[in-house]
Amino acid sequence: MRLLKVAAALALFLSLVSATSCRKKDRLVIAVVPKGQAHIFWQSAHAGAIAAGIEFRVEILWNGPASEIDFTRQINIVDDFINQHVDGIVLAPSHGDSLVPMVERAVQERIPVAIFDSGIRSEKYLTYVSTDNYGAGALAAERAGKIFPGGGRLAVIGTIPGGISTTEREIGFRETIARKFPALQIVEFQYGMSDRAKSLGVAEDILTAHPDLSGIFCSNESGTIGAVQAAKSKGVAGKLKVIGFDTSPTLIEDLRAGNIDSLVVQDPFQMGYQAVKAIVNHLHGMVPEKRIETRAAVVTADNL
């Protein structure tokens, strides 16, 4: 009887292995690893990846750290997908340096990697899909120049050290202000660490230190939310001009209410879609473009 049970268990195991092998052979499996999962931005990118998966008949495995500053967790997730021998990986690196060994290991294992949203300091990736982040930061600076033609004092709430996309936005904003709008002065720069509560605390400290501040530029969604909440708590909402980045239902509501001057919005749906599409095309023998740029635009209450 025991021998029969062992034989039955072995037969079940072999049937499962066979089913898994058939599934893998019949359908490509692409892993998508975002920086985090909390923000609306990543949910939109997920929707784009799923849309591409349906269109191109591939399986999408989605997993990312809860927090965008949890580099170790993101590294472990990518490592796990490599060990699963997925057919391709779509990655938004939380840090431009920390994820390099994982990308290069995946390529050594013959697993193509498409980078999206934020760059990486390696050339081993298949394609890079993102906004022109420097240009998007410059768009925010142009908006600041328009609403403060006579000059003013500004602060910047950055996202996180080492994040290439947000760093490029911050540099684009600061360099464009310095080059084109010398009457505007950036008096403070602090990181919100991609966290709403930390961004709120940072913004409140900035407003306490600079009560005459004209405006704040925030380089991501959580920083923008923190800055708006700080303006409300200090009683300067609407008076303090907040130029934010990305979008969410809360931010749109504050834009309509006049608590936010403007938002630089991206197209995360297309980022997720185009990155998966590039992997599929590569696996079918086509050569995707090395750089794919998605759009960005300044949204105000007037053009919403």
Side-chain angles (χ1 to χ4, degrees), residues 59-302:
E59 181 177 353
I60 301 297
L61 303 180
W62 173 273
N63 193 13
S67 169
E68 293 185 19
I69 62 173
D70 193 349
F71 307 152
T72 301
R73 175 62 181 147
Q74 191 181 44
I75 289 169
N76 290 339
I77 289 169
V78 176
D79 185 57
D80 184 54
F81 280 136
I82 294 171
N83 292 336
Q84 291 180 43
H85 300 288
V86 295
D87 295 296
I89 296 174
V90 172
L91 171 67
S94 294
H95 193 278
D97 294 314
S98 298
L99 274 297
V100 168
M102 285 296 99
V103 170
E104 296 187 348
R105 185 191 157 212
V107 173
Q108 286 177 354
E109 297 285 337
R110 297 187 178 181
I111 300 172
V113 179
I115 301 297
F116 79 105
D117 175 61
S118 189
I120 193 165
R121 293 185 177 90
S122 171
E123 293 298 320
K124 298 294 181 68
Y125 59 84
L126 177 69
T127 188
Y128 173 30
V129 185
S130 79
T131 303
D132 171 4
N133 284 291
Y134 183 96
L139 285 177
E142 294 283 353
R143 178 63 185 175
K146 182 176 181 179
I147 60 179
F148 300 118
R153 293 163 62 82
L154 306 176
V156 176
I157 297 181
T159 302
I160 186 171
I164 289 182
S165 61
T166 51
T167 298
E168 288 174 348
R169 295 169 202 168
E170 294 146 15
I171 293 172
F173 181 82
R174 296 168 77 172
E175 290 187 350
T176 304
I177 290 292
R179 185 175 67 254
K180 298 186 69 173
F181 307 105
L184 287 172
Q185 182 184 6
I186 297 175
V187 297
E188 190 79 60
F189 179 102
Q190 292 192 41
Y191 288 109
M193 300 308 293
S194 197
D195 181 89
R196 295 175 183 180
K198 290 180 181 178
S199 297
L200 168 60
V202 164
E204 287 179 333
D205 290 344
I206 290 173
L207 291 174
T208 299
H210 303 280
D212 60 342
L213 201 67
S214 305
I216 295 181
F217 168 62
C218 310
S219 63
N220 83 328
E221 178 186 338
S222 58
T224 307
I225 291 173
V228 173
Q229 294 304 315
K232 290 177 180 178
S233 71
K234 294 288 187 179
V236 295
K239 180 181 176 182
L240 178 77
K241 301 300 182 183
V242 176
I243 302 172
F245 220 97
D246 292 329
T247 185
S248 71
T250 299
L251 293 179
I252 293 299
E253 183 180 332
D254 278 313
L255 183 67
R256 286 196 174 109
N259 299 322
I260 293 175
D261 171 79
S262 50
L263 295 167
V264 181
V265 298
Q266 306 179 82
D267 196 344
F269 183 94
Q270 276 298 316
M271 290 185 200
Y273 176 89
Q274 293 293 341
V276 170
K277 179 181 178 181
I279 292 282
V280 173
N281 285 344
H282 169 76
L283 294 172
H284 287 147
M286 290 175 270
V287 180
E289 295 179 21
K290 189 72 172 180
R291 181 74 172 94
I292 300 173
E293 286 189 5
T294 54
R295 62 180 179 167
V298 176
V299 175
T300 66
D302 291 335

Side-chain angles (χ1 to χ4, degrees), residues 1-9:
M1 181 63 71
R2 184 178 179 185
L3 186 59
L4 287 173
K5 287 182 178 179
V6 171

